[in-house]
Amino acid sequence: MSRDGSTATLLAALLKLRTELGGAALGLDVPGAAEGREAQRSLLSQLDDYILPRLVQLGAPLLTVIGGSTGAGKSTLVNSLVGRRVTESGVLRPTTRSAVLVHNPADAEWFQPDRILPDLARATTQSHDTRALTLVAAHTVPQGLALLDAPDVDSVEADNRRLAGELLAAADLWLFVTSAARYADQVPWDYLREAADRSAAVAIVLDRTPESSMGEVRGHLARMLTARGLQDSPLFTVLEGDVDEDGLLAPSAVAPILNWLHDLAADPEVRAAIVTQTLDGAVRKIVFSAFDVADAVADQGAVLTSLVEDVDRAYTGAEAAFAKDLSDGTLMRGELAARWRDFAGSGDLLRGADDRIGRLRDRIVDSVRGRRARVTEVQESLAHDIELLLLEQAEAGAHAAYQAWEESAAGRSLLAGSGRELERATRTLRSRAERIASDWIEACTEIVRSEGAEHRMTARFLALGTSGSAVTLGVCVVSELAPRDDASGATMARDLLVDVFDDATAHRLLELAKEDLLRRAGTVLRDERQRFYDVLARAAAAPSAADSIRAAARAAEDARHTDLIPEDWD
């Protein structure tokens, strides 16, 4: 460790790495994604279940996990080492049951949920819940050491296999149990190879072996251990024999193992060396594997960029179509054109200079004749058509983005998880578009008041009025690029706007009103596309996340050399 025994730098670096790994979503359906997600899950579990808790409490008891093959006699061995029945053997295979952790009563505080294996609920009796950890206090277990009976690593039950892997990954020391009949099985050796890869402390128990074949089997197993880099691992043997009425082996059968464990518990330096060896190997493996996750994130990032471009292209097209249809006279048809011609050709253009008198007259006329002022009708028709145009382009953008995503496996996977809501505009868009259009009509009035103030006392302005000038401006915006010879009244609106103001002022008003509407519509369409971005954000990390993971992994590796590796190590 570092000169002062502190691992603070390593702890901080690993916490940073854990944050980067945990924040990198790998939800896109791309080649290698499943492997990347499994590697990510494994790294996070290793950090949460073992590395981070162990770094915080280096003085915790040495956790020895007893694991191995089906029928190898793990539970019997644990019970025999403790001297009483603390864990139940499975009579029928497979047996799904909770793991059992046996500790000295003085060490109970070390095994609270916030100390180790936080995802496993604590229990006092063994059950069939694989997400529970049964805690048993026993004075026969020396202080400074704990025994954890794990499920079979080759169980046909997936939950058992998963739990066995988690427990072995949380161990300071592996006590791997096999038998004469099972020692060459592939699955246990996969675990042992992983232990060798990360330099975990391992001891082997060759259990349930007849005396007649012990020499041959032990020799073959020793050669297999050497070939796989585990030649320094202690190898214990337990002869096949009877058990007593409590299901325990004779004390002499397990005495060598028990004495060895007691010696470990009694020597703080040896315990610390085992913890450091296993911890260092685990951190080194985490660092190397983090680069694999970073590569998976980078692969997702390339697809993510393509999916973002699909959405941007769809909604940019919708914005462009809105701008085109807004100004080319498309809206100057039907009711709006009729309302405008009715207004522009009526006596409303010649009403008095005082708007207040005009509004009073309108209310009187409305009350008598039962109709609204023509200017209000034009405003409402104009707002309605703008609302419909915005809805149309929002729907077009959503449909185009949806169709583009359907063309890729990753996109289809995202759409499958989101239903068909993304194919349509949001449900609240209609009310929002209505408000946008209404607010813009008001904005036109404010633009006329503020930007055309110097013309407000001219005869033309007084004849048209503020509301009439504003609605004329609005009509000019939606017919700016309409043909000059159209029959909709667009030409009349443009000529009228220039007559009321002057050519330069009319142009400025037109640009301000148009920019205001395009800004409002653009905000709506950007908010609409955000739905697609949100789906992507939940499914995949940003492309920069891969570099962040690599940087955090390099920092953790530097800290490992600083804080964990003794100075006299090679």
Side-chain angles (χ1 to χ4, degrees):
M1 296 184 185
S2 60
R3 291 180 182 272
D4 60 0
S6 171
T7 57
T9 302
L10 178 59
L11 179 60
L14 288 173
L15 286 171
K16 173 64 174 175
L17 178 58
R18 199 243 177 267
T19 298
E20 297 297 341
L21 287 170
L26 289 165
L28 295 182
D29 185 11
V30 302
E35 293 81 356
R37 286 190 289 269
E38 177 57 28
Q40 180 188 43
R41 185 203 64 78
S42 177
L43 295 187
L44 293 174
S45 294
Q46 178 75 342
L47 284 165
D48 293 343
D49 292 346
Y50 176 64
I51 294 176
L52 294 175
R54 175 48 92 180
L55 278 172
V56 171
Q57 48 193 14
L58 288 170
L62 189 72
L63 183 60
T64 303
V65 174
I66 293 89
S69 306
T70 300
K74 299 183 301 300
S75 298
T76 299
L77 179 64
V78 172
N79 291 333
S80 300
L81 291 172
V82 177
R84 63 184 174 92
R85 186 185 295 275
V86 292
T87 180
E88 294 297 325
S89 302
V91 177
L92 299 176
R93 300 290 176 178
T95 301
T96 301
R97 52 189 175 81
S98 59
V100 176
L101 191 153
V102 192
H103 59 83
N104 187 280
D107 290 332
E109 65 175 306
W110 291 108
F111 301 106
Q112 297 308 306
D114 60 341
R115 294 292 186 93
I116 189 172
L117 296 168
D119 290 339
L120 300 183
R122 273 32 178 185
T124 57
T125 57
Q126 195 169 15
S127 68
H128 294 290
D129 183 3
T130 59
R131 303 313 301 170
L133 180 63
T134 304
L135 299 179
V136 177
H139 288 282
T140 51
V141 175
Q143 190 173 355
L145 182 139
L147 303 176
L148 202 165
D149 181 24
D152 303 332
V153 296
D154 56 355
S155 172
V156 297
E157 291 287 343
D159 287 344
N160 281 345
R161 296 195 305 273
R162 188 178 302 109
L163 179 58
E166 289 180 22
L167 297 180
L168 287 169
D172 296 310
L173 171 64
W174 291 17
L175 192 60
F176 219 84
V177 183
T178 188
S179 65
R182 307 300 303 273
Y183 76 93
D185 290 354
Q186 181 61 41
V187 173
W189 282 106
D190 289 341
Y191 279 90
L192 289 171
R193 182 173 60 252
E194 179 182 344
D197 288 344
R198 64 185 185 92
S199 303
V202 178
I204 312 295
V205 177
L206 179 58
D207 194 16
R208 295 182 174 178
T209 305
E211 185 174 6
S212 59
S213 58
M214 176 60 75
E216 179 183 354
V217 173
R218 179 187 172 92
H220 187 208
L221 177 57
R223 290 192 295 274
M224 292 178 71
L225 290 170
T226 300
R228 289 161 176 80
L230 294 168
Q231 64 274 11
D232 295 329
S233 300
L235 174 57
F236 300 98
T237 56
V238 178
L239 292 174
E240 187 175 44
D242 296 330
V243 296
D244 63 17
E245 59 184 11
D246 292 324
L248 307 182
L249 295 166
S252 60
V254 297
I257 305 172
L258 190 60
N259 292 336
W260 179 69
L261 291 174
H262 276 262
D263 289 342
L264 291 181
D267 191 331
E269 291 187 3
V270 172
R271 289 206 315 271
I274 290 175
V275 169
T276 300
Q277 174 187 333
T278 301
L279 191 55
D280 176 71
V283 172
R284 174 167 45 81
K285 186 68 178 295
I286 285 282
V287 168
F288 290 161
S289 298
F291 283 94
D292 295 333
V293 176
D295 291 342
V297 170
D299 291 341
Q300 297 243 322
V303 177
L304 172 68
T305 299
S306 176
L307 293 172
V308 168
E309 290 174 350
D310 288 339
V311 175
D312 289 347
R313 188 161 44 248
Y315 278 95
T316 298
E319 286 192 56
F322 180 87
K324 174 181 177 298
D325 291 347
L326 175 68
S327 300
D328 67 0
T330 297
L331 300 186
M332 285 298 291
R333 301 169 185 168
E335 183 177 353
L336 175 59
R339 296 295 186 189
W340 166 250
R341 287 194 300 268
D342 188 31
F343 166 72
S346 71
D348 285 358
L349 292 178
L350 303 175
R351 67 184 178 175
D354 191 333
D355 282 344
R356 287 174 297 176
I357 296 175
R359 285 194 294 271
L360 177 60
R361 187 200 66 183
D362 288 342
R363 286 197 295 271
I364 295 172
V365 170
D366 282 347
S367 65
V368 175
R369 301 182 180 178
R371 63 180 180 83
R372 296 172 298 175
R374 289 185 178 88
V375 66
T376 302
E377 294 175 345
V378 179
Q379 287 175 333
E380 291 179 350
S381 182
L382 179 59
H384 179 68
D385 283 1
I386 290 172
E387 172 193 341
L388 292 181
L389 178 59
L390 185 53
L391 285 171
E392 177 187 352
Q393 294 308 326
E395 292 284 0
H399 181 73
Y402 190 96
Q403 292 295 317
W405 277 18
E406 276 199 323
E407 294 178 3
S408 70
R412 286 192 299 272
S413 178
L414 293 175
L415 295 174
S418 304
R420 299 194 68 87
E421 289 189 3
L422 289 176
E423 192 175 14
R424 300 293 305 276
T426 56
R427 296 177 182 178
T428 60
L429 180 61
R430 179 172 291 276
S431 61
R432 188 178 181 190
E434 181 180 358
R435 187 171 62 253
I436 288 290
S438 176
D439 290 347
W440 179 69
I441 298 297
E442 292 295 324
C444 286
T445 301
E446 290 303 317
I447 289 172
V448 166
R449 283 181 181 148
S450 60
E451 296 297 325
E454 61 187 65
H455 298 273
R456 291 183 64 180
M457 297 308 296
T458 63
R460 292 285 188 180
F461 187 92
L462 293 174
L464 192 58
T466 302
S467 297
S469 298
V471 79
T472 302
L473 174 60
V475 169
C476 286
V477 169
V478 302
S479 58
E480 179 187 9
L481 302 179
R484 295 289 300 181
D485 59 349
D486 75 304
S488 64
T491 301
M492 182 192 306
R494 294 196 292 266
D495 291 343
L496 183 57
L497 191 67
V498 172
D499 285 344
V500 171
F501 301 97
D502 55 60
D503 190 68
T505 302
H507 180 75
R508 184 174 73 253
L509 297 180
L510 184 63
E511 288 300 311
L512 288 173
K514 181 179 178 181
E515 289 175 4
D516 184 86
L517 180 54
L518 291 179
R519 177 184 58 79
R520 294 173 190 267
T523 299
V524 171
L525 292 174
R526 283 190 293 275
D527 290 346
E528 286 289 297
R529 81 172 73 181
Q530 186 61 44
R531 301 176 300 149
F532 289 87
Y533 294 159
D534 291 343
V535 170
L536 285 171
R538 292 191 295 269
S544 61
D547 290 336
S548 297
I549 292 174
R550 294 186 183 106
R554 284 190 289 268
E557 176 65 5
D558 291 341
R560 180 179 77 89
H561 283 275
T562 301
D563 285 5
L564 204 56
I565 300 179
E567 293 182 1
D568 57 349
W569 281 19
D570 292 334

